[in-house]
Structures are given as structure tokens and as C-alpha cells.
Amino acid sequence: YLMRFTGAAKYGDWMERLMYNGVGAMPPMNDYGMIMYGSCYNTWGARKFHSTVWFCCQGSFLQTVNDYHDLIYFKDSKNIYVNLFVPSEVDWDSPDGKITLRQETKFPESNRMTYTVKAAQSSRFGLKFRVPLWSKKGMTFDVNGEPVKVNAKPGEWAEIKREWKDKDIITAKVDLHIWAEPAPAALSPVAAMYGPVVMVMANARDEEEL
């Protein structure tokens, strides 16, 4: 809702983190339909476990997974927005007719995303990409193998506006790197991140010794 009301790209970072570190990191349901309802993380390892049967998250977990397809792309009357870097395909009624945008990627294992435009006729519109806040160097783009200059500031939308034709190919690369972020309520520091993915986190609290 914050993204819908404000249009600010930065709110997409929260969706991205939840997808990879929350729902996407859940172990599978067991034979009884139980999902993870407990976890323990520390510098020596981590453990996720099932703790009880039939609580509310068994329903909301399935709903959350089902909702993610609505968070990959957004639109307005003149633009289509790429919010999440996920293999997918979307149909959109552009100002000049229906187009299909196909996204192929192995993100976050790879920093490369490829987009293919399918269109019965040429159409002029803006194709906007969320530039993640964690991407210090932003993003770079090629269209049909030719580099294009795009203002790709972290936390904002990077826009390529042009007349798009059938089989146009856009290649985007994002600055994936290891970085550290303070962990809320933790004494020292920190979560080690790779792009949006938490690799390891110290979990000491005020009452614990490091």
C-alpha cells in the first residue's frame, strides 16, 4: 500500500527481503501440513523447526506465496514497472496495444536479468525498473545489445522510455555485492548481506554476552 499511495520504489526493497529471507526461506511443510513456527540463529549455525499443529500461519503462509505474483510488476496508464527480479511473464495493455514482457533471470545467484518484448505493433511507453537501495552502483542497461544511458539511482525507478518493437531485448545488471547492515535490537553489528539475502547474522541482545 505504501508503494501504491506514494509510487516510491524504495518500498519494493521490503517486499524483496521478505520474499528471499522470509517466505522463500521457509522449509517445506511436513506430512501433517505443519510449517516452520520456530527458528534459532547464531554465529555457529541456524535451526528451523516445526513446533505445533494448525495455527494461523498455516493459512497465511499459503496466501502470502499466492500474493507474490502481484508484486513483480506494477502499471499506470503510460508505464510498466518491474519491481521484483523473478522469472515471469506479464501481459499489459499499453497505450498503443497489448504487449507481453518476459523476464528471465537467476537472481539473486546472478546479477543479470533479460527482458523480451512481444508486441503485435510498435508501442511507446516507459519501462521502469526498481533500483534496490542495497545496490550502491545502481544498475546498467542494454537494449538489443547497445548500452543505454539511464539514471539508475538506488531507491528510485530507472526509466527507459522509447518506442518498443516486437522482440526487443533489454539486459539489466544490478550491483550485487556483500555488505553489512546493523541488526535491529542487536548489540553488535550486524547482518552480512549479499544483495537482499541475509547470509549470516549475529543475534546477541543487550542481556547476552558476545
Side-chain angles (χ1 to χ4, degrees):
Y1 285 104
L2 287 171
M3 181 175 280
R4 180 185 296 177
F5 296 149
T6 68
K10 63 181 181 180
Y11 294 117
D13 278 54
W14 178 85
M15 302 175 196
E16 183 179 63
R17 287 192 182 198
L18 182 60
M19 184 174 71
Y20 291 112
N21 304 303
V23 175
M26 294 279 283
M29 283 185 173
N30 67 11
D31 293 340
Y32 299 100
M34 295 167 64
I35 65 168
M36 185 192 81
Y37 204 67
S39 59
C40 179
Y41 301 89
N42 56 60
T43 52
W44 300 278
R47 178 172 173 254
K48 301 179 180 181
F49 49 89
H50 302 95
S51 62
T52 187
V53 179
W54 300 122
F55 44 84
C56 62
C57 292
Q58 286 170 298
S60 57
F61 172 68
L62 297 175
Q63 291 177 312
T64 302
V65 173
N66 189 59
D67 281 343
Y68 269 116
H69 73 280
D70 290 332
L71 303 178
I72 302 173
Y73 303 99
F74 298 112
K75 66 177 182 178
D76 58 28
S77 61
K78 298 181 180 179
N79 305 281
I80 186 166
Y81 299 75
V82 180
N83 180 48
L84 297 178
F85 308 132
V86 179
S88 54
E89 189 171 283
V90 63
D91 295 325
W92 177 56
D93 292 324
S94 78
D96 299 311
K98 182 178 179 179
I99 67 103
T100 298
L101 184 67
R102 181 178 178 84
Q103 180 176 187
E104 298 174 275
T105 182
K106 293 182 179 179
F107 181 87
E109 286 85 2
S110 169
N111 72 333
R112 178 188 176 100
M113 291 74 72
T114 301
Y115 303 87
T116 304
V117 176
K118 299 178 183 178
Q121 60 185 26
S122 299
S123 180
R124 183 172 181 81
F125 59 89
L127 185 52
K128 298 189 177 186
F129 301 85
R130 179 182 58 86
V131 184
L133 285 166
W134 49 259
S135 181
K136 293 181 180 179
K137 297 180 181 179
M139 298 177 69
T140 60
F141 299 89
D142 291 354
V143 176
N144 298 327
E146 297 292 330
V148 293
K149 292 184 178 181
V150 180
N151 183 15
K153 183 178 178 181
E156 297 185 1
W157 298 104
E159 180 182 14
I160 305 176
K161 189 171 185 178
R162 55 176 282 160
E163 184 174 325
W164 298 98
K165 299 179 181 179
D166 187 46
K167 298 182 181 180
D168 277 343
I169 296 176
I170 307 97
T171 301
K173 292 182 180 179
V174 65
D175 175 32
L176 270 176
H177 61 277
I178 295 175
W179 57 288
E181 181 176 69
L187 272 180
S188 116
V190 304
M193 310 281 293
Y194 182 66
V197 180
V198 179
M199 305 302 291
V200 65
M201 187 182 82
N203 70 342
R205 298 296 189 265
D206 293 341
E207 69 275 9
E208 300 175 353
E209 294 184 1
L210 292 176

